């Protein structure tokens, strides 16, 4: 008699740390902390930033009134979205925050300058948005605070949530 075939659903979870686990952690920490730092520049005038009042004037110059409120929203989205991405905490929501900010930056500032960053174009914004969307789709990985939760596994619903909420948030801000 033959033994019944083992179900694919019973494959044990791997116990060793893979290069993919470490690579995803490196991407999350790097992009997340850089975005959090970028938010701190806007909000707290650290890391070479101008702070909320000066950033608010810049936002007002782009047509966002009151400028300081929009600067706080943008800086807060970068700070909290970046920290969430770095920690792997509420990853789809953190990704949505970064995607929304990058869409706004592209529409209001960089799209008029083409693709390349050297000309002031969208290159940087596209890279950040795509990394955030990819992390939502892949999931934050093994070394994430989200790991025990359903959304910590990534997938199409998480990617759709990040892109949809980020896009909707950007559309709301741009329409006001």
């Amino acid at each position: 008699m033959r033994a019944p075939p083992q179900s694919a659903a019973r494959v044990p979870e791997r116990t060793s740390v893979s290069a993919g686990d470490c690579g995803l952690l490196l991407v999350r920490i790097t992009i997340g902390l850089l975005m959090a730092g970028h938010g701190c520049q806007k909000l707290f005038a650290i890391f070479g930033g101008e702070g909320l009042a000066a950033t608010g004037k810049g936002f007002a110059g782009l047509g966002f009134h009151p400028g300081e409120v929009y600067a706080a929203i943008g800086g807060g989205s970068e700070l909290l979205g970046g920290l969430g991405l770095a920690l792997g905490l509420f990853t789809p929501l953190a990704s949505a925050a970064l995607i929304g900010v990058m869409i706004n930056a592209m529409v209001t500032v960089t799209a008029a300058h083409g693709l390349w960053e050297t000309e002031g174009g969208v290159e940087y914004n596209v890279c950040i948005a795509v990394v955030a969307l990819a992390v939502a789709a892949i999931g934050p990985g093994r070394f994430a605070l989200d790991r025990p939760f359903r959304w910590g596994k990534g997938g199409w619903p998480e990617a759709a949530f990040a892109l949809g909420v980020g896009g909707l948030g950007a559309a709301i801000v741009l329409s006001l």
Side-chain angles (χ1 to χ4, degrees):
M1 291 177 83
R2 290 179 127 187
Q6 288 187 345
S7 168
R10 298 187 65 192
V11 174
E13 191 173 327
R14 58 174 196 231
T15 56
S16 64
V17 175
S18 73
D21 296 327
C22 294
L24 186 54
L25 178 64
L26 181 63
V27 167
R28 280 194 3 255
I29 288 174
T30 301
I31 298 300
L33 292 181
L34 286 172
M35 289 308 301
H38 201 70
C40 287
Q41 289 177 319
K42 287 179 175 66
L43 297 171
F44 310 120
I46 58 176
F47 306 128
E50 296 182 339
L52 195 54
T55 303
K57 288 178 184 173
F59 272 65
L62 293 170
F64 294 104
H65 300 284
E68 276 195 42
V69 170
Y70 285 96
I73 292 169
S77 295
E78 290 172 347
L79 173 60
L80 296 176
L83 290 176
L85 196 72
L87 295 170
L89 180 62
F90 303 117
T91 306
L93 189 58
S95 294
L98 297 178
I99 290 167
V101 169
M102 291 302 110
I103 290 171
N104 272 293
M106 286 184 267
V107 170
T108 59
V109 179
T110 60
H113 303 283
L115 176 61
W116 302 113
E117 174 64 27
T118 54
E119 303 297 321
V122 298
E123 174 186 8
Y124 168 81
N125 306 120
V126 168
C127 290
I128 298 297
V130 168
V131 166
L133 180 58
V135 170
I138 295 166
R142 182 180 191 125
F143 303 113
L145 296 177
D146 276 347
R147 190 163 185 240
F149 303 107
R150 166 59 192 105
W151 63 85
K153 309 293 185 253
W156 288 112
E158 290 76 8
F161 175 87
L163 186 58
V165 170
L168 181 61
I172 290 170
V173 168
L174 290 167
S175 70
L176 296 176

